Amino acid sequence: MERPRRPAGSALPPDPDAALVELGPIVNLHGIRGELRLLPHNPESDLATAAREIVLIGRDGQRQTRRVRGARRHKRFVLLTLEAVEDADAAEALIGCTVAVPRTMLPPAGPDAAYHADLLGCAVETTSGVAVGTVHEVMPAPSTDVLVVRGAGREHLIPMIADVIASLDVAARRVVIHPLPGLLEAEDDDSQGGPEARSGKG
C-alpha cells in the first residue's frame, strides 16, 4: 500500500533523541529563489552536498528536518535549496539557523582523529595542566588542520600534529597539548609539520 504523501510545505518531525553533528550556520540567502548560504565548519567536508535531509536548529533550540532539493559549492559556502523554501522571504526566515545531520551519517573518525564540529568548544590545556582556552574554530590547511584557541584575551594557533597534540578526548571535551617553545608566546606559528594527528572531516 502506498504511503500518503506529505504536503510540500511540511517539515518532517526530527527524532528529539537523535545525536546530531553541526555542519555550520546559515549566514545569508543567495539570490531571490530561496537558496541559502551555509558556511561549513569544515570547508573540505562533503556532508552538506551529499545529505538528502538536514536538521535545522533554530536560535531557540527548536529542530526541524528539511529535505534537500539541491546543494552546490560557491566559494567558501555551500548553497542549499530546501523543500518548501522557494523565495527570499522563506529563506530569510532561516538565517541564523544551524544546519546539522544525524551522527549516523558519519563514518567513524578513526583513532587520534575527530570531526571538526566535535572539536569546537573543547577545553585546551598543556601537559602540565595549564589552561590555554577553548577551541573557537578549526582551520583546514594544506599540511595539517589548525585549532584556533581563545582564552584569557588571547588567540593561539595550535597545529594538529603529533609533536603538539598529546591527547584528544572528544567525549571529555578536552585537548591536551605539548607547549613547544614559542607555540603559546607568539600569535603566529608556522611550525605546522605533517598530518600525523589531523582531525577528521566533518
Side-chain angles (χ1 to χ4, degrees):
M1 180 177 177
E2 184 178 355
R3 295 182 180 180
R5 294 184 179 179
R6 294 182 177 89
S10 68
L12 304 176
D15 180 353
D17 297 322
L20 301 176
V21 172
E22 296 182 2
L23 303 186
I26 293 174
V27 295
N28 209 337
L29 49 83
H30 185 81
I32 61 174
R33 297 185 178 180
E35 272 193 307
L36 297 160
R37 287 191 180 187
L38 164 67
L39 182 60
H41 293 316
N42 180 6
E44 296 182 1
S45 173
D46 294 325
L47 285 173
T49 54
R52 296 291 181 266
E53 291 181 349
I54 52 95
V55 177
L56 294 176
I57 305 173
R59 296 180 184 273
D60 57 359
Q62 292 295 314
R63 300 178 178 185
Q64 56 176 303
T65 302
R66 293 293 182 98
R67 290 191 179 96
V68 178
R69 294 171 50 197
R72 60 192 178 98
R73 294 187 180 276
H74 176 71
K75 299 180 181 179
R76 61 194 181 112
F77 304 102
V78 172
L79 304 183
L80 294 177
T81 302
L82 304 180
E83 183 180 54
V85 182
E86 299 177 352
D87 56 36
D89 290 338
E92 190 170 10
L94 299 178
I95 295 174
C97 288
T98 298
V99 174
V101 294
R103 180 169 288 278
T104 53
M105 283 186 58
L106 280 61
D112 300 320
Y115 286 103
H116 285 197
D118 290 338
L119 293 170
L120 301 178
C122 283
V124 179
E125 62 183 59
T126 68
T127 49
S128 59
V130 177
V132 178
T134 58
V135 179
H136 176 76
E137 182 183 355
V138 182
M139 297 192 307
S143 59
T144 188
D145 296 333
V146 176
L147 300 179
V148 179
V149 179
R150 294 179 181 174
R154 297 190 62 186
E155 181 176 280
H156 303 283
L157 303 180
I158 309 297
M160 296 194 71
I161 59 175
D163 287 346
V164 172
I165 304 298
S167 67
L168 192 161
D169 190 338
V170 171
R173 311 293 296 149
R174 182 169 170 262
V175 179
V176 178
I177 66 170
H178 296 292
L180 299 181
L183 180 63
L184 300 181
E185 286 74 16
E187 292 286 332
D188 298 317
D189 182 83
D190 58 2
S191 58
Q192 294 180 10
E196 291 90 343
R198 285 183 65 101
S199 65
K201 306 298 184 196

